[in-house]
Amino acid sequence: MTKLQRVQNIAAGVLMLLFTWLILRFAEDGIQLVAAIVSISLTVMGIRYLIYYFTMARRMVGGKRLFFIGAIVLDFGIFTSTLSEVPTLYIILYLVGIHAFSGTVDLLHALEAKKVGAGSWKLKFATGLLDLITGAACLVFFRVPRVAVFIYCAGLVYSAILRIISAFRKTAIIYIQ
């Protein structure tokens, strides 16, 4: 990880903590803020994937996969921005789906990393498990949007702390002589 990437990870973690504070400060409109933050982050992530595809990955092996990921994530971001007028139940169910999918993918990556003997599988496994627990907790408390907002904020704080910790980790460098 380069120094710029480390600074970006720290800045992203601090920004996530700031968003958590903002959501908790305006807790009465928390579910709408959560939908707005998820919408903005998915849209930006989709645009970043598409820019990366058109600038670099177009001729790479597996580049089309990045294009499809970017298009789907951008679509989810735009779709989330339309959820401001629907009942909060749909927003909570949408968040449950996002957390369940993300947690499942993280768990599968962790199990694959364990299979090849990578040392970072435990952290990925914990992240995936926490994502699944967050989604399940939101599903359990779907009738109380405030509790779902607090659960989402707890998951956001956890992700921010992990991001900041990963910025200070030493990166393994392989030298070929």
Side-chain angles (χ1 to χ4, degrees):
M1 185 180 300
T2 65
K3 289 180 182 177
L4 178 64
Q5 289 172 334
R6 291 181 194 277
V7 170
Q8 287 175 340
N9 267 347
I10 292 171
V14 170
L15 190 64
M16 290 167 75
L17 290 174
L18 180 69
F19 281 145
T20 303
W21 175 79
L22 186 68
I23 292 170
L24 291 175
R25 176 113 166 90
F26 302 106
E28 63 275 353
D29 296 326
I31 202 74
Q32 303 303 338
L33 284 171
V34 168
I37 290 170
V38 169
S39 169
I40 291 168
S41 63
L42 287 175
T43 303
V44 168
M45 188 186 315
I47 290 171
R48 284 183 64 197
Y49 270 114
L50 290 176
I51 289 172
Y52 180 68
Y53 169 76
F54 286 117
T55 57
M56 300 264 311
R58 200 172 23 193
R59 296 183 185 13
M60 288 173 34
V61 174
K64 275 188 184 178
R65 183 177 63 99
L66 290 173
F67 173 74
F68 291 129
I69 289 172
I72 290 170
V73 169
L74 181 64
D75 285 343
F76 275 130
I78 293 170
F79 173 71
T80 308
S81 69
T82 65
L83 292 178
S84 63
E85 298 299 320
V86 298
T88 58
L89 171 67
Y90 295 122
I91 297 173
I92 292 173
L93 290 176
Y94 186 70
L95 285 175
V96 167
I98 289 174
H99 281 291
F101 181 75
S102 174
T104 304
V105 168
D106 283 347
L107 284 176
L108 291 174
H109 280 208
L111 293 175
E112 183 181 345
K114 182 181 179 187
K115 199 182 289 186
V116 296
S120 66
W121 74 271
K122 293 175 186 173
L123 186 61
K124 283 183 191 243
F125 188 82
T127 304
L129 197 60
L130 186 74
D131 238 353
L132 283 176
I133 290 170
T134 302
C138 282
L139 189 61
V140 168
F141 295 108
F142 74 93
R143 294 201 187 272
V144 187
R146 259 181 101 97
V147 174
V149 167
F150 291 142
I151 292 169
Y152 180 77
C153 286
L156 202 60
V157 167
Y158 178 75
S159 296
I161 289 171
L162 280 181
R163 208 159 224 214
I164 292 170
I165 288 173
S166 72
F168 290 109
R169 273 184 148 176
K170 280 192 170 194
T171 306
I173 299 174
I174 300 173
Y175 292 103
I176 299 174
Q177 294 187 15

